[in-house]
Amino acid sequence: MSATQAALNELLPLAGDTFDKNKVTPGILGFIVFAALALGVWGLMKSMSRHMGRVDFQEAPDPAAAAPSADRAP
């Protein structure tokens, strides 16, 4: 059994007295998970923006246009 499952088995009986089966909300745990995901996405977007700013892309010239054609041979 993992540590998370053990913790849930210990904490769920404590919520039995205040748990209303007709009203289910995400609660503080849902908020914490959502906030952590939002911070992770924000950090990834900031990192991606920084990395994209460092990219120095120059398109390679077309080899067919650069090579002399055989039709123009003297």
Side-chain angles (χ1 to χ4, degrees), residues 15-56:
D17 298 335
T18 60
F19 184 69
D20 183 10
K21 294 184 181 190
N22 295 325
K23 181 182 176 188
V24 178
T25 62
I28 190 71
L29 180 62
F31 175 75
I32 291 171
V33 169
F34 182 76
L37 287 172
L39 284 173
V41 169
W42 177 77
L44 286 172
M45 293 292 288
K46 190 169 179 78
S47 174
M48 183 186 69
S49 176
R50 188 172 41 238
H51 281 87
M52 291 300 287
R54 294 180 185 168
V55 173
D56 185 23

Side-chain angles (χ1 to χ4, degrees), residues 3 6 9 18 51 62 66 71:
N9 287 338
T18 60
H51 281 87
D62 188 15
D71 297 336

